[in-house]
Amino acid sequence: MSMKANPKLIVIIGVFCTSLTSILIKSSQAPPLAMLFYRLLFTLIILSGIVCLKKKEELKRLTRKQFQICILTGLVFSFHILSWVFAVRNTSIASAVILSDCHPIFVVILGYLFLRERLSKKAIIGILISFVGCVLISLMDLLKGGNHIVGDLFGVSTAFFMALYFILGRVVREKLSNYIYIFLVYGWAFVFVTIFAIATKTPFYPYSLREFLIFLGLAVICTIFGHGLVNWGLEYVKPSFASVAF
């Protein structure tokens, strides 16, 4: 994608696409790991064709460090999407979205620790306000009983893994094209999700045509256009901007 495109606008479009994830997840009756398995499988099928046709030489030039970071990012991404599914399944969409959206807190902290990005007074105040808000939401859900508090914890976990995903993406995207980066990250995420699914004896079939259409929607709309566009933007914008946009 050419730099003639506005990176911030592209990131915002990507965020819009990912915002449809919760609706599709709520619409599915499939087990979380089965849903993630097919989501990543369809994503890889589409990306593999693009990489083989256009990015084969770049893939050969991949360094060991870049490969290792992509493996780690794939593991983090698998935890992120798994936490998000469990959050949506165990609490209200509103609570899951609000709690998962506290990832700017973690991005600012991790950015300061690992990327030496400046931590301003406004950022500190914002972190404290967001933290208080998360506590209040969790307390309200605790009073409701049921699995709401479990869903809230998964919502916060989603935020943490999203922040770590942004930080790692910022590090490796400076020297890798977006197609290679997301192909490797989603590829390793697929490996980890498959291992988790086998370990928990999650059934891979049978599922209805409706379920497979949901899996395909998650792959194309939410993963390739959603996370893919955001990852492209990480080459040009700070993780903090991408995080706040989410």
Side-chain angles (χ1 to χ4, degrees):
M1 190 177 294
S2 172
M3 254 303 291
K4 291 180 180 180
N6 186 326
K8 292 184 178 180
L9 177 60
I10 295 299
V11 169
I12 292 172
I13 293 173
V15 170
F16 172 75
C17 291
T18 59
S19 68
L20 301 176
T21 306
S22 58
I23 298 174
L24 292 174
I25 290 174
K26 277 288 189 181
S27 301
S28 175
Q29 300 299 318
L33 284 169
M35 186 191 311
L36 298 181
F37 173 84
Y38 284 108
R39 173 183 179 178
L40 292 170
L41 177 62
F42 291 150
T43 299
L44 287 175
I45 290 173
I46 296 170
L47 288 177
S48 60
I50 298 173
V51 171
C52 289
L53 290 174
K54 296 185 176 182
K55 300 293 180 179
K56 188 183 298 184
E57 293 303 316
E58 183 183 353
L59 192 60
K60 294 178 181 178
R61 296 194 302 268
L62 198 70
T63 66
R64 177 178 294 183
K65 182 179 180 180
Q66 290 172 332
F67 190 70
Q68 291 172 342
I69 294 177
C70 286
I71 293 175
L72 178 59
T73 309
L75 179 61
V76 169
F77 184 69
S78 66
F79 284 147
H80 161 67
I81 55 179
L82 189 58
S83 296
W84 175 238
V85 171
F86 281 116
V88 172
R89 288 283 179 89
N90 288 281
T91 190
S92 66
I93 290 181
S95 293
V97 169
I98 293 172
L99 290 172
S100 65
D101 279 350
C102 72
H103 49 73
I105 299 175
F106 297 111
V107 167
V108 170
I109 295 173
L110 293 174
Y112 174 76
L113 293 175
F114 297 106
L115 300 181
R116 301 301 178 187
E117 293 185 347
R118 186 179 177 184
L119 192 60
S120 65
K121 290 183 180 180
K122 290 183 179 180
I124 295 174
I125 294 173
I127 288 173
L128 293 175
I129 294 174
S130 298
F131 178 75
V132 172
C134 291
V135 171
L136 290 175
I137 291 172
S138 297
L139 287 175
M140 291 174 62
D141 282 345
L142 182 61
L143 294 175
K144 294 179 183 178
N147 292 329
H148 287 283
I149 190 64
V150 175
D152 289 351
L153 291 174
F154 276 116
V156 175
S157 298
T158 301
F160 173 76
F161 290 123
M162 171 62 82
L164 190 54
Y165 175 64
F166 280 144
I167 296 299
L168 290 169
R170 177 62 174 172
V171 172
V172 75
R173 274 290 287 118
E174 292 180 350
K175 295 184 179 180
L176 275 185
S177 70
N178 190 44
Y179 283 124
I180 293 296
Y181 173 68
I182 61 176
F183 177 72
L184 291 173
V185 169
Y186 298 160
W188 281 107
F190 174 74
V191 170
F192 291 123
V193 166
T194 302
I195 292 172
F196 298 154
I198 293 173
T200 56
K201 298 181 179 179
T202 299
F204 291 103
Y205 63 91
Y207 297 107
S208 66
L209 176 61
R210 176 179 178 276
E211 291 292 342
F212 279 107
L213 289 175
I214 292 174
F215 301 155
L216 185 61
L218 286 167
V220 176
I221 300 172
C222 305
T223 308
I224 293 178
F225 285 107
H227 287 281
L229 291 177
V230 173
N231 282 319
W232 175 86
L234 285 174
E235 184 178 356
Y236 309 104
V237 302
K238 291 184 178 180
S240 56
F241 174 82
S243 180
V244 171
F246 259 87

